[in-house]
Amino acid sequence: MEEVAISLDLGTTGCKGIAIDKTFSVLASSHAYYPTYFKDGGRVEQHPEDWWKASCDVLKSLCDQIPEATVSAIAVTGHMQDLIFLKEDGVAAKEAILYSDTRAVDEAEEIENCIGGERLVGITGNKQGAASLLAKLLWTKKHMSYALKSCSNILIGAHDYVCYRLCGARVTDLTTASTTGLLNVLSNEWAVDELLEPLAIPSCLLPRIVPPSQVVGVVTAAASRATHIKEGTPVYHCSGDLATTARGAAAHHHDARHIYLGTSAWIAAVCPGAPTSTACGAGLLQVRDADPDCIIMAASMASACSNLNWVRSVLRFTPDANTDWTAVDDAAAGAPLGSGGVLYLPYLSGERCPFVDATARACFIGVAAHTATSHLLRSVMEGVAYALRQLFDILDAQPNTEAHLPFNPIRIVGGGSRSPIWCQIVADVLGCPIDAPAHPAGPDALHVAALGAAHMVCESLGWSAGAASGRTTTRTVFPDELRHRAYMRLYPAFKTAYTALQPVFATLALAPSPTAAAMLAIGSD
């Protein structure tokens, strides 16, 4: 019987899974979606049990596709910087607070005043805002104290929870831990004395940190019944999706860069060395890599494809915002460069780079009587591309990530890389070649993090890491010089738009929330 490994990626919109053989050929794939809940006050949540149900559906589908294969291992990766409470009985609280949640603005300011901004950076390696778990834990202590009192463990990534449901291990990885604001990045241990004890946050609730190539448990009898995976199958808790995406994109060598264009987006470079105790500035993050001799320098924006999914939903442009990109591409391609004078700011959930502002919001600027749906759709793609250009400008300014632009092609992965027109717009705005997936529906576009997770455990399985090299197939998208010049004439307008509108965003943040406004309307009847 053929030996395979299964790799799961718990993304923001759904669980993706692949089954691969020893040559790293993808034999089967599956995908199951789950919802995200957006609430007043910048709250963004998902239900951990939705992650588990989607994982079960994906695993059963994969087993059905390869009935004769022997599953040697399950590798799990996923989105990071979440807050998941396990109750005393081991059941997760209904809601998990996601990485993009910005409810803890006041708590972030309180922590900075208490600990000191420079000292925070010295401990955690990064500036800490409302998205940090340190701030969210303090918010929970104030407003949801029952969650902490009834909690036996805290997990910090979607893959932490699925791994727990598969084998019972309550663990996390170093990459995920270093995104939270809870880790001392120099010692690679939870910052108990420096941060947690001064803020009276119980460190005993935090998960154990494990390397990505280590078996953390085996599939339990209950998990076997739910997933159709044989009881006793080894389970690997791999790095969070930033590190596995870098590995899956074949970008894991000195200063190799990649663009991830998914629900959120980032531009990252894997660099040799250890994190420093000084801030990188402008929202740039230094994150621990799975390789202890490397770090990942990442410039990350809060919202990317979520902007396009939102506008498609609002315009009711396609019947299935999760799957149908062709009609959107055709419409955007039919609009002129510059979208007929419409500029889009992609700040649906605030922003974290190149500035940190939980009150920033998305908006269209320049809408006129002639503006059509195609202009709006293209302007969203262009707005995200401009934001990526800002991230590149910041990353290029770092001394240990010397600029290679515009000479070397840059790998682009994630759901947005399926769109040929969007890849072309990104290439034109950046002014450099883009290596996009050759097959938009293939694993190089949709399953790059899962491929990276599998790569991380290949040695432990006795598989050759070399077999994973060169498995990706790409097509190079070259920028058009005339379009690049045209975009660079418009780019300054994008850069100055946020600065001009920041006071407006701050004022609008004081308006009653939708719930409060509805209550006021009821009271006036």
Side-chain angles (χ1 to χ4, degrees), residues 107-130 132-135 138 178 180-186 191 194-196 198-199 276-279 286:
E107 286 72 23
E109 184 177 349
E110 180 181 338
I111 290 168
E112 183 157 333
N113 291 336
C114 174
I115 304 296
E118 288 188 10
R119 186 158 183 262
L120 266 176
V121 171
I123 296 166
T124 67
N126 298 300
K127 292 184 177 181
Q128 301 300 326
S132 77
L133 294 197
L134 191 62
L138 188 57
S178 65
T180 63
L182 304 174
L183 186 81
N184 184 320
V185 293
L186 300 182
E194 307 95 321
L195 298 177
L196 299 174
L199 296 169
T276 66
S277 58
T278 56
Q286 48 181 344

Side-chain angles (χ1 to χ4, degrees), residues 47-187:
H47 295 171
E49 279 302 296
D50 288 344
W51 302 336
W52 175 239
K53 182 180 182 302
S55 298
C56 291
D57 291 343
V58 166
L59 289 170
K60 287 186 287 188
S61 172
L62 293 173
C63 288
D64 289 344
Q65 294 177 58
I66 49 170
E68 301 301 320
T70 298
V71 178
S72 300
I74 299 178
V76 190
T77 183
H79 59 74
M80 311 174 289
Q81 201 177 336
D82 306 318
L83 198 52
I84 306 141
F85 299 101
L86 294 184
K87 295 184 284 188
E88 294 289 351
D89 58 4
V91 176
K94 184 179 180 182
E95 296 87 6
I97 301 175
L98 257 59
Y99 61 89
S100 51
D101 186 289
T102 57
R103 71 183 71 186
V105 174
D106 293 340
E107 286 72 23
E109 184 177 349
E110 180 181 338
I111 290 168
E112 183 157 333
N113 291 336
C114 174
I115 304 296
E118 288 188 10
R119 186 158 183 262
L120 266 176
V121 171
I123 296 166
T124 67
N126 298 300
K127 292 184 177 181
Q128 301 300 326
S132 77
L133 294 197
L134 191 62
K136 289 169 183 171
L137 279 170
L138 188 57
W139 183 94
T140 302
K141 183 181 171 186
K142 287 181 179 181
H143 303 286
M144 289 174 52
S145 59
Y146 61 87
L148 284 174
K149 290 176 181 176
S150 63
C151 177
S152 63
N153 282 96
I154 290 171
L155 301 178
I156 59 175
H159 55 311
D160 291 4
Y161 184 72
V162 169
C163 187
Y164 162 69
R165 290 303 305 269
L166 282 169
C167 67
R170 305 183 185 197
V171 297
T172 194
D173 61 277
L174 197 55
T175 302
T176 300
S178 65
T179 66
T180 63
L182 304 174
L183 186 81
N184 184 320
V185 293
L186 300 182
S187 67

Side-chain angles (χ1 to χ4, degrees), residues 318-369:
T318 58
D320 186 348
N322 286 316
T323 59
D324 191 348
W325 286 81
T326 306
V328 174
D329 266 18
D330 291 345
L337 184 151
S339 303
V342 177
L343 182 67
Y344 180 75
L345 304 187
Y347 311 136
L348 272 182
S349 301
E351 191 51 283
R352 54 195 180 205
C353 188
F355 54 85
V356 178
D357 186 354
T359 68
R361 288 296 177 262
C363 58
F364 291 101
I365 302 171
V367 174

Side-chain angles (χ1 to χ4, degrees), residues 433-444:
I434 297 294
D435 277 349
H439 307 290
D444 295 341

Side-chain angles (χ1 to χ4, degrees), residues 3-6 59 63 69-76 163 166-168 215-221 223-224 227-236 461:
E3 186 179 0
V4 303
I6 287 178
L59 289 170
C63 288
T70 298
V71 178
S72 300
I74 299 178
V76 190
C163 187
L166 282 169
C167 67
V215 176
V216 297
V218 297
V219 172
T220 65
S224 177
T227 63
H228 298 178
I229 299 294
K230 184 180 178 181
E231 182 180 354
T233 301
V235 177
Y236 292 81
L461 293 173

